[in-house]
Each structure stands twice: as C-alpha cells, then as structure tokens.
Amino acid sequence: MRRLKNSLLILLVAAAALAQTASEKPSLDVRRVGARLQCQCGCKDSVATCSMLECDFSKPAKERIARMQAVGMSDQQIIDAFVRDYGPGVYLAPPNAFGWIVPYAAAFLGLGVIWLFIRKYRKPQLATEAGPMEIDDPELAKYKDQIEQDLSKLE
Amino acid sequence: MENLGSLAVLLALCAAFYAAAASIIGRLKRKPFLIVSGERAVYCVWATLTLGVGILVFGLITGDFRFSYVAEHSNHTMPLLYKVAALWGGQEGSLLFWSWLLATYSVVVAFTNRRKHRDFMPYTLGVLMIVQTFFLTMNNFIAAPFNMLSLDGVITPVLDGNGLSPLLQYPAMAIHPPMLYLGYVGFAVPFAFAIGSLITRQPGDGWIHTTRRWTLVTWLFQSTGIMLGAAWAYHVLGWGGYWGWDPVENASLLPWLSGTAYLHSVMMQEKKGMMKVWNIVLVSATFFLCILGTFLTRSGIVQSVHAFARSEIGKYFVTFMAVGIAATAYLIIERLDYLKSESQLESVVSRESSFLFNNLILLASCFAVLWGTLFPVISEYTSGDKISLDANWYNRLMVPIGLFLLFLTGVGPLFAWRRTSADSLRRNFQWPGIASLALVGVLVAVGVRHVYALISLGFCMFVALTVIVEFYRGSRSIAAKNEMNFARALVELTHRNTRRYGGYLVHMGIVLMFVGFTGHAFNKDEVKEMNTGDSMRVGNYDLRMVTIDHGDTPNYSWDRATIAVSKDGASLGNLLPERRFYKASRQGTSEVGIRTRLNEDLYLNFGGMSDDNQRAVIQAYVFPLVTWIWLGTLVLIGGTLVCLVPSKVKMQYARTQVVGMTSKHATVEK
Amino acid sequence: MTIVIACIVAIAVIAFILGVRAKDLPEPELESPFTHLDERKAAIYENLRDLQFEFRLGKLSDADYQHTKKDLQKELAAVMGEVDRLKASLGVNGAVPAAKAAAAPQPAAQSRQAAAASNGIACPSCGARFQSELKFCGECGKPMRVEKA
C-alpha cells in the first residue's frame, strides 16, 4: 500500500514537471478551462486567449490549471479554486442558450423571408406547355422582325 | 512643421464640410457654380490631407521624436519599410490614413465623373464628404496625430521611440492594414452612388453599372487584406493558426461576407430588375459594417491581439453609425415605390432562388459572426454576466454554414435563369455528383472517418468538377465552331464573358481554400524540451536538435535552434526556428521554421528556453494541406482580376438615337 | 517661415475653391433619356445570348430553352414598345424604331429649330419647354445645350 502511494506521488511529480511547459503550448484541456477565466493583466481576454507573451497572470494561471488537471481535479473544482483566490469577477460564463438561439433564429427568420419573397414574386403559373414559338402577344408580333435581326447579329 | 500639419488637417476638415454643404445645397437650389466649387473643395481636401500625411510620414522617416506619435510608433533601428508602416501602426495615424484614402477615392470619383451623371453626382460627393467630415473631426479633435511631447510647456523630444510593435514588423503585416483599409473605405463609393441615385430617383440601374468595378476592386482589396492577415497569423504568432475568430478578424470578415452577398444579388437586378430594395440595403449594410470594422479595431471595445490602440472614440462612432443608419433607412422606406421590382420569379427551381439562398447563407454567417463579436459586450451591459466565446463556439456554428455555402457555390451555377427542369438538372448534376460520391467512398475506404472532412472534400470535388466542366464544354464548343485549338478557345471563352468565367475562377479559389481548411481536421502536434543531440518525432518526421545559438542585434536579441529533419531515414535538411526579444518594446516574437509542401507543412516553433535555461522548448506541428489556402487565395485574386478585364463583346444592339446624341453611343464596348 | 507657408496654403485653398469662373463649369456629357431603356435592352440581349450558348453546350433541356427564350423576347418587345412611346411623347425622330448611327444629326438640328420656333425650347432629357435659352433644364437639371453632335 505504501509503495503504491509512493509511486503515485512520483507520478504526480512527473506530471507536474511535464506541466511546466504547459504555458508555452496550452493543451486543449487547459484552453477549455482557461477560456472560462478572465485574465487579470489588464487585457479583456480570457486566460486561454490572452495574447501577451510572458503575461504575469495568464502564464502562471495556465501552469496552475495544468498542474491541477494533472492531479485529477475537475474543471469546476479548478474554476472554484480560482474564484476563491481572485473573487467572482474572474469567472467568465460560457455562452448561455441565448447566444446559441439567436443565430439560428436569424437563419430561420431569413428562410421565412425567402418564403414570403417567393410567394409574393412568384409568377402565377399559366399554361406551362411551351411548344414552338407562337406569337400570342401583339407587342411581340410588332417587334419580332427587329428582334430576329438583332439576334442574328449577336456573336 | 507640426503646426503646418495641424493646419493642413484642419483646413481639410473645413474644406470637407464646405464640399458637403456646397454640393448638396448647390444641387437643391440648382446653382452650377456652387456645385463646381464644392467639387473643387474635394480636391482641396485631398491636397491638404496629402500635405498632412506627408508631414507625418516625413517625421516618422527622419525620426522626429518631438511628435508623440513618432515616439510611440517608431524608433531609430527600424527598417525604412516599417517606419512608413508606422503610419498605420497606431490609432491617430491609421485614422488619418483612413481619411486620406477616402479623400483619394473621392477625388478619383469626382474626376472620372466630372462630366457624367451631373444629376446625382453632387449628392454622391455630398455623402462621401459627410463621411469625410466625420473622420476629419476625429483627426482634428479626438485623435490628433500632431501632438507634441512636452515637459513643463516646452517641446522636448525623447532620444528614441518605442518602435512599432515587433509582431507587426513583418512584410505581410506592413501591407495588411492598407489593404483592409482600401477595402473598408472603398465601399463608401458604391454606397454614395446608391444614395445619390436613390435621392434623385434615377431611372434604371446606372449606379450599379458605374460602381461595378469599384465594388470588385474593393472586394479584391478586402479579400487580399483578410488573407494577408491570416498568412501573418500563421507565420508570426507561432501557434500555427491562420484564423482565431478574434474580434478584429471578425470585423474584417463582416463587410466581406455582406459584400460577397451584394456582388451576387446585384446580378438579379442587372439581369431581371429584381431585388432593388435588397441591393440598396446590402450595399448600405456593407458600408456600415466597414465603419463598424474601423470602430471595432480602433475603439478597443472588444479587446484582442489587434487592438493596439485603445481610446474613447467609441461613442462618436456609435453616434455616427446610428444617425447614418437611421437616415439611410428613412430614405429607403420613403422611396420604396421607386425601388419596385420589374419582374417576377418564373419558377422556384431557378438561378434566382439559388441566389436567394446564397444571400441567406452569407448573411446568416455574417450575422452569426457579428453576434459572436458583440454578444460578450451586449451580455455584460445587459445582465452584467461576463461571457467568453471561444473558437469552438464559432467553429461549431460556422463549419456547417461554410459547408452549405460551399455546396451552393457548386450548385448555384448549374441552375438556369428563370426555370430549370428536372431534365436540365440531371444533365448538369449527374457526373459531378457521381464523381464526388466516388471520392467520398475512396476516402472512407482508406480510413478517413472525420465526417465534416468527408463532406467538405466531397463538396470540393463537386464544385471543382462543375467549374472544370463549364470551362471544358464552353471551350470545346468555341473550338469546334471557330476551328481554333483548345487553349485559344479557352482564352476566347473567358474573354467573351470575363465576369462569368472570372467568377468561376474565384469559386475555384474558394474550393482550394476549403481543401486547405479541411486539412485542419488532421493536424498533429508535439512539444518537447530538447538539448543538443535530443530528438523527437511528429507525424512521419524525425527531428534532432543540432545546436542552440544565442545572439544580439541593435533591434533585438535572439535564441535559435538548428534542427535536422528527416523522414523515414532520409534527411530533409535543417529548420531554424528562432525566438526574438525586441529591446525597445520589451516584447518577444517567434520566427518559425516551416517546411512547406503541397501535402503538408512541418512547422517548428521555438517556444522559449526551459526553466534551467539549458534546453529549448520546441513545439512541432504538422499541418496538412495548409498551402492550398494560399494557393486558393492566389486563384481567387487572379479570378477577380479576370472579372475586371472588359469583356470582348461584338454586340451591336441598336442604341436609340436622340436629338444631338453623339454617335459614340452607337457601339457599346462592354 | 511656417506662418508664411501656412498663409500661402490657406489662401491657395480658399482661392481655388471660391474662384469658379463661368468657363470652369464643366461641359456635361450628354445623357440620353433612353439610357436606362437601352441598358435594359442590352441586358436582355445578353441574357438571350447566354441562353443560346448554354443551350448549345447542352446545359439546358429543349423545353426550358424555348420557354425562356420566348419570355425574354416578350420582355424585349415590351422595352421596345416603351422606347417608342417615350419617343412619341418627346416628339423625337417620329416613332421609327432604332435609326442607324449616322442618320441622326441633320434632321435633329432642324427639328430642334422647329421646336424652338413653335413653343420655346424643349429639354432634350425630360421634354419640359422653356421660352428663353437656358443652360440647364429647370425641371430635371440636365443640360439644355446639345450642339456637340
């Protein structure tokens, strides 16, 4: 039992050592949690997206997240730990349902507009049988020669 | 010097205000002298602004560190290119540059139309000059570029400036902002023409014909600017991404999306006289999105990599946009009768409908991006909840939309105008459809299981085939008819209708870009701390650290790794990722080592030194198909340029002869 | 020194803006009142040409082709009819459709003099009539001078 505990500890230390580099290239897991935490360096970005190199908040924060994940803490536990240390202002909520619904609602609204547009501008369907060119329009009859003449000059 | 600069910008403001007032009043009261005088004021705006910009650039080049702008954005050690680029590196300079570009466009508009469209040109110039007046107000009173550094009321220069942000000291980045600005500013012109012709109720679609090339050129600048930004992010930021859904990236994408929608829907008006209201709405929306883009970049309301400048100009932009949008909306509603559609939809299965869906998708994506950009701001103001949207949110929303758009790119041109019967559809869909299904089958057989990737590559195949078939059929027909060889027929075909075939080329470019985007699904990455002699493996590549060097230049200090790359035992040479630390701004940058091939890029970034300062942190990535994005961009640019070439049309349709008309109207070269 | 340059710049700007002389007024390019109809006609001809080409390439079924062609020709006829009606209302050249290029100037000048003699000068753009000679039409604002034939 004791040996197991020891080896577990060694494993944890090794994981923590690996996590040293986490700030340089945050893994997807770190980014996921980091996106929920507001960077405190003065930018308005999250810990995951703060673009400041050598940032004095986001860099250690990312390392801390990685260490906490290495010892198996859940996302919520990590976030709670940060909120405990830096106050509730550090938490960034994920987009709520509103954020999702509006774009889709807009798309469906657009579909509705198209449907209305088509209904309004759809030409009433007459006899669809086209057949050979027959002149049923007095105006067309009047200008037919002119059109034929111009058409022959096309190309 | 500085006083002259300030005076020039102030004079420009007065001239712009006068030009707007004189043009509009002159037109209302029909005073030709006033109109001409207003037109001359437009030239004066440009001349005085050029003087102002010239003085600022001169200060930047010669390193006149009495100017606070020069001290903040330039220093002695920067190369000349970046000294000039510092003009658009900061807020004051970039707004001045914006104004100057608008003045330049206005002068070109005034000059090329000095004898044309006398009826609505005063309004067009009036609109341009109102926008100009707004920006010049900013230049004069909110973000003055000619402030001096002073100590106890005495002008005191500093010894050396901060220098341009080193992230921006990269060639593509030096021209990325001007390209985007040319795109942003350019949409003011079609907008002004649309408003001018709306006010005067011009018969026909004159404003569309006149601004067709403007719009295309502007769109080209925007596309180029966006892609330069993507290339910059890929090569400079060191994490290998080309698009991060950063608010400012979004800001440049918004007018591009609505502008693309406009370019398509305007065809409905040209061909059939439909969608007139919609086109005016679109061109106005695009213009205001351009203003919004400038606002987002310059106000710092949503922070990001790009918001180098932060200040309080936000409320001025918001007021200007609110007034502008209200006025435009009023004008459109007031003149709805004039914008009545001339014809109807013959059938639901037609090119017209496909354009409707194209517009829906483009605008839906535009709205989604806008929503994502502004939602955190809105949410914080309304409920106080701080929210963050990560790239995942956008990807989940935009990938399906993008795929649907890709699908429409292929399908749209297969529908005929007015009506398309099932028979016609079968002729066009059969072979491309079968071929792309076959491609998907093969991909599944070789083990690709990523659903979006399969759909995307299937659609890419479909669109590419339809475009190729279009060119092939057309050329073969022309070759047979005129007895010329196939290559010449291909050129002849394109030359006969440059807009259509140039458009197909643009579609082809989009396809290539989507192939590149699809590669994102197969990215691989590894990170390791390496000492000399250590090795690591990423994808099929074996990397071995040869040396780690350190050095120093006046501008920056650097660490560089020399890494030998081999694949399956065969040596592929060395890559040299480097990390720089710029002294003036105390900022670090990455010079990544990239091995570019058509199938994949090997991308090495020097992440930094390990804590004991002995080993280098090397981030190694394999990015499949990324090069296709840049190739696609080139094809897209080429296609747009083809669109700009006048079509060779030997069309002698009879122009109506009127009293005293010059005979130049008889033959119209299109 | 700076003050001198500043003054020169300011004066030059003001002088250039305000010093508009009569001969500086631009000679406006003549615009035909038929422009928009001609453009419409050109667009339809182009549609017809594209239609023919696509049919020849086999992209269209025969029925679609015939049907759409007929629609287009009808629209063309409607535009031509409108041209003639506009011509009749302006009293230009009678109602002869589409005279060929060289035909215009001579009879045009005569008809204009005739018009001037009868009831003032007609605006070539909108047809409004005025007793005295004007540079620009008081109704539509377009140029009245048309001698640049």
Side-chain angles (χ1 to χ4, degrees):
Chain A
M1 192 61 206
R2 184 167 185 145
R3 275 184 59 190
L4 189 75
K5 226 174 189 174
N6 264 350
S7 57
L8 229 149
L9 210 70
I10 290 171
L11 214 84
L12 278 185
V13 171
L18 270 178
Q20 287 296 305
T21 55
S23 65
E24 304 296 348
K25 193 201 79 75
S27 67
L28 273 178
D29 296 324
V30 172
R31 284 177 80 97
R32 188 186 60 238
V33 180
R36 301 275 75 85
L37 297 170
Q38 165 101 59
C39 182
Q40 307 286 310
C41 73
C43 68
K44 281 190 176 177
D45 286 327
S46 68
V47 165
T49 53
C50 173
S51 55
M52 189 178 167
L53 300 151
E54 308 299 320
C55 172
D56 57 7
F57 185 86
S58 65
K59 194 180 172 206
K62 275 181 266 192
E63 285 163 6
R64 185 173 164 198
I65 295 170
R67 273 197 302 274
M68 289 166 141
Q69 282 176 337
V71 296
M73 286 171 78
S74 73
D75 289 7
Q76 195 53 48
Q77 284 171 317
I78 299 175
I79 289 166
D80 289 344
F82 270 90
V83 170
R84 209 166 43 237
D85 292 352
Y86 300 98
V90 78
Y91 179 63
L92 290 173
N96 52 18
F98 200 52
W100 280 101
I101 290 168
V102 171
Y104 284 110
F108 279 102
L109 189 78
L111 269 181
V113 171
I114 289 188
W115 186 68
L116 285 178
F117 181 89
I118 289 177
R119 259 179 50 137
K120 180 167 178 204
Y121 287 103
R122 179 89 188 272
K123 210 178 223 175
Q125 291 292 300
L126 302 171
T128 41
E129 188 50 53
M133 284 289 294
E134 62 198 49
I135 299 146
D136 53 357
D137 189 337
E139 204 148 48
L140 182 56
K142 186 171 157 199
Y143 295 104
K144 191 162 187 337
D145 289 347
Q146 177 71 37
I147 291 173
E148 291 292 329
Q149 197 186 332
D150 283 337
L151 266 184
S152 67
K153 278 190 286 192
L154 293 177
E155 285 185 303
Chain B
M1 200 56 171
E2 59 279 6
N3 294 329
L4 199 58
S6 298
L7 174 88
V9 179
L10 190 63
L11 268 179
L13 171 64
C14 300
F17 184 73
Y18 174 81
S23 298
I24 293 171
I25 295 172
R27 173 63 182 77
L28 284 173
K29 306 257 179 218
R30 299 185 192 286
K31 303 264 191 254
F33 281 92
L34 204 51
I35 291 175
V36 172
S37 167
E39 219 162 86
R40 286 187 166 195
V42 174
Y43 294 99
C44 286
V45 172
W46 182 80
T48 47
L49 263 178
T50 307
L51 180 66
V53 170
I55 288 174
L56 191 59
V57 170
F58 184 74
L60 285 166
I61 292 175
T62 55
D64 190 344
F65 295 115
R66 296 175 306 134
F67 291 103
S68 64
Y69 188 81
V70 176
E72 266 173 52
H73 300 286
S74 178
N75 66 10
H76 280 307
T77 48
M78 273 178 2
L80 181 65
L81 171 68
Y82 300 127
K83 283 183 178 167
V84 176
L87 172 63
W88 46 81
Q91 170 161 292
E92 295 84 359
S94 59
L95 282 178
L96 184 67
F97 184 60
W98 218 103
S99 286
W100 182 76
L101 285 179
L102 182 60
T104 311
Y105 276 134
S106 307
V107 162
V108 175
V109 169
F111 184 77
T112 50
N113 292 292
R114 65 195 179 284
R115 295 181 58 209
K116 278 183 279 187
H117 309 302
R118 298 315 299 173
D119 198 22
F120 66 88
M121 270 317 285
Y123 286 125
T124 304
L125 286 179
V127 170
L128 286 173
M129 283 301 118
I130 289 171
V131 179
Q132 182 90 65
T133 306
F134 168 71
F135 275 94
L136 280 167
T137 312
M138 306 295 246
N139 296 142
N140 274 288
F141 306 117
I142 317 296
F146 293 106
N147 287 341
M148 311 304 287
L149 290 172
S150 73
L151 202 64
D152 301 328
V154 183
I155 292 177
T156 330
V158 290
L159 285 178
D160 199 1
N162 294 338
L164 195 62
S165 168
L167 286 174
L168 300 182
Q169 296 196 25
Y170 181 81
M173 204 50 186
I175 51 170
H176 159 71
M179 282 288 169
L180 269 188
Y181 283 7
L182 280 167
Y184 278 161
V185 182
F187 267 109
V189 176
F191 171 71
F193 269 92
I195 296 297
S197 96
L198 187 59
I199 293 177
T200 53
R201 296 172 184 268
Q202 291 298 307
D205 311 323
W207 68 275
I208 288 181
H209 300 282
T210 317
T211 57
R212 186 191 287 153
R213 292 221 159 75
W214 275 103
T215 320
L216 265 178
V217 170
T218 305
W219 187 84
L220 177 62
F221 280 131
Q222 255 179 11
S223 318
T224 318
I226 292 173
M227 291 318 290
L228 276 175
W232 168 77
Y234 181 72
H235 290 102
V236 171
L237 291 185
W239 51 281
Y242 35 80
W243 194 263
W245 298 110
D246 174 289
V248 176
E249 284 168 349
N250 294 348
S252 65
L253 190 64
L254 291 172
W256 187 86
L257 287 170
S258 66
T260 310
Y262 168 73
L263 282 178
H264 285 94
S265 85
V266 87
M267 281 185 243
M268 293 265 276
Q269 185 163 351
E270 285 184 74
K271 291 251 182 199
K272 291 194 70 187
M274 295 181 79
M275 316 263 284
K276 292 181 175 181
V277 182
W278 182 235
N279 285 324
I280 297 242
V281 169
L282 268 185
V283 79
S284 313
T286 308
F287 168 72
F288 286 109
L289 285 173
C290 289
I291 301 283
L292 179 77
T294 315
F295 162 62
L296 287 180
T297 330
R298 288 300 150 205
S299 72
I301 182 170
V302 271
Q303 293 304 336
S304 69
V305 186
H306 296 68
F308 296 101
R310 298 160 190 202
S311 87
E312 287 304 310
I313 61 178
K315 51 181 185 280
Y316 296 91
F317 268 100
V318 171
T319 315
F320 176 70
M321 284 203 295
V323 172
I325 291 172
T328 313
Y330 169 76
L331 195 64
I332 293 174
I333 292 167
E334 216 264 325
R335 294 215 173 355
L336 270 184
D337 60 321
Y338 156 69
L339 295 169
K340 237 170 73 105
S341 180
E342 285 166 27
S343 51
Q344 290 177 307
L345 281 179
E346 275 83 0
S347 159
V348 183
V349 190
S350 61
R351 180 76 64 85
E352 287 91 322
S353 300
S354 81
F355 275 124
L356 293 182
F357 284 99
N358 150 303
N359 268 261
L360 171 70
I361 287 296
L362 281 168
L363 282 191
S365 54
C366 184
F367 180 79
V369 175
L370 182 68
W371 180 249
T373 312
L374 295 181
F375 186 55
V377 184
I378 297 171
S379 164
E380 201 172 336
Y381 274 117
T382 52
S383 63
D385 291 344
K386 285 196 215 161
I387 277 184
S388 103
L389 301 178
D390 44 8
N392 273 337
W393 185 86
Y394 286 100
N395 286 341
R396 254 182 278 167
L397 203 61
M398 296 301 285
V399 169
I401 292 182
L403 288 179
F404 193 52
L405 189 63
L406 181 64
F407 174 68
L408 281 181
T409 311
V411 169
L414 296 185
F415 284 90
W417 285 97
R418 282 156 200 273
R419 65 181 64 73
T420 314
S421 62
D423 182 26
S424 301
L425 283 181
R426 191 188 47 74
R427 290 166 189 238
N428 299 320
F429 273 89
Q430 205 170 26
W431 292 113
I434 291 173
S436 31
L437 283 179
L439 176 76
V440 173
V442 170
L443 286 173
V444 171
V446 275
V448 180
R449 288 291 181 274
H450 196 285
V451 177
Y452 278 152
L454 285 173
I455 296 176
S456 170
L457 290 177
F459 284 165
C460 283
M461 181 73 171
F462 182 77
V463 183
L465 277 179
T466 54
V467 171
I468 291 169
V469 165
E470 195 78 17
F471 274 100
Y472 173 74
R473 276 181 176 171
S475 307
R476 202 186 47 184
S477 155
I478 287 189
K481 197 170 177 193
N482 302 343
E483 290 167 0
M484 46 174 71
N485 65 39
F486 188 78
R488 255 195 74 197
L490 195 63
V491 176
E492 170 76 16
L493 173 80
T494 313
H495 198 178
R496 276 194 194 173
N497 194 340
T498 51
R499 278 176 80 203
R500 170 192 294 190
Y501 292 99
Y504 283 142
L505 279 179
V506 173
H507 283 184
M508 200 63 175
I510 298 282
V511 167
L512 295 178
M513 286 160 79
F514 266 88
V515 172
F517 297 150
T518 311
H520 184 76
F522 310 105
N523 287 354
K524 296 190 187 81
D525 61 295
E526 289 295 334
V527 59
K528 196 177 175 189
E529 295 185 4
M530 293 169 91
N531 210 335
T532 308
D534 287 351
S535 56
M536 68 188 285
R537 189 176 168 83
V538 56
N540 296 324
Y541 298 95
D542 289 306
L543 311 175
R544 190 173 50 81
M545 178 71 80
V546 181
T547 54
I548 306 174
D549 303 309
H550 312 279
D552 203 31
T553 72
N555 206 358
Y556 56 85
S557 61
W558 50 267
D559 308 309
R560 183 165 54 214
T562 306
I563 294 174
V565 182
S566 57
K567 189 178 183 179
D568 306 329
S571 170
L572 301 173
N574 291 344
L575 284 179
L576 305 167
E578 180 181 326
R579 186 165 184 83
R580 291 181 181 172
F581 186 75
Y582 282 78
K583 295 166 183 169
S585 53
R586 306 200 51 72
Q587 236 188 321
T589 66
S590 296
E591 299 283 308
V592 292
I594 305 182
R595 180 179 185 271
T596 299
R597 290 297 178 271
L598 259 189
N599 60 339
E600 62 190 14
D601 281 14
L602 173 65
Y603 184 104
L604 300 182
N605 182 37
F606 194 113
M609 295 302 289
S610 62
D611 295 337
D612 54 5
N613 214 19
Q614 291 302 309
R615 286 158 296 156
V617 180
I618 297 298
Q619 297 152 0
Y621 304 83
V622 175
F623 295 127
L625 303 172
V626 164
T627 313
W628 289 59
I629 299 176
W630 320 131
L631 284 179
T633 309
L634 292 180
V635 173
L636 181 143
I637 292 173
T640 318
L641 290 176
V642 168
C643 288
L644 287 168
V645 175
S647 288
K648 167 180 141 193
V649 180
K650 282 188 242 135
M651 213 189 325
Q652 284 258 353
Y653 59 89
R655 282 262 146 179
T656 316
Q657 293 297 312
V658 207
V659 184
M661 290 313 298
T662 45
S663 56
K664 63 175 277 223
H665 287 286
T667 311
V668 170
E669 290 281 342
K670 217 197 68 156
Chain C
M1 182 57 187
T2 311
I3 296 175
V4 176
I5 298 177
C7 290
I8 293 173
V9 170
I11 291 170
V13 165
I14 293 168
F16 180 70
I17 292 177
L18 296 181
V20 183
R21 294 158 298 175
K23 66 171 183 178
D24 296 333
L25 293 183
E27 188 80 29
E29 215 162 69
L30 297 158
E31 283 168 47
S32 157
F34 297 97
T35 309
H36 66 285
L37 292 173
D38 283 346
E39 272 165 4
R40 189 86 203 93
K41 217 157 75 177
I44 299 175
Y45 274 127
E46 208 189 312
N47 290 350
L48 268 168
R49 195 176 62 115
D50 283 350
L51 184 77
Q52 262 175 8
F53 192 63
E54 296 210 327
F55 178 59
R56 225 171 60 203
L57 299 185
K59 275 181 79 178
L60 284 173
S61 69
D62 198 47
D64 284 353
Y65 171 67
Q66 294 297 348
H67 201 150
T68 304
K69 187 175 173 187
K70 194 168 137 198
D71 279 355
L72 280 169
Q73 291 190 339
K74 268 188 202 164
E75 276 173 32
L76 199 51
V79 175
M80 287 172 150
E82 202 165 320
V83 169
D84 281 351
R85 275 193 293 281
L86 185 60
K87 269 183 187 166
S89 72
L90 293 180
V92 202
N93 281 2
V96 187
K100 286 289 156 268
Q106 274 297 333
Q110 284 165 10
S111 71
R112 196 166 74 93
Q113 278 161 10
S118 63
N119 46 1
I121 299 155
C123 168
S125 299
C126 67
R129 291 178 184 281
F130 300 97
Q131 290 305 315
S132 57
E133 188 112 20
L134 292 173
K135 274 210 182 81
F136 292 89
C137 170
E139 279 299 316
C140 67
K142 286 191 174 149
M144 298 282 283
R145 286 183 302 167
V146 283
E147 63 264 275
K148 261 270 166 127

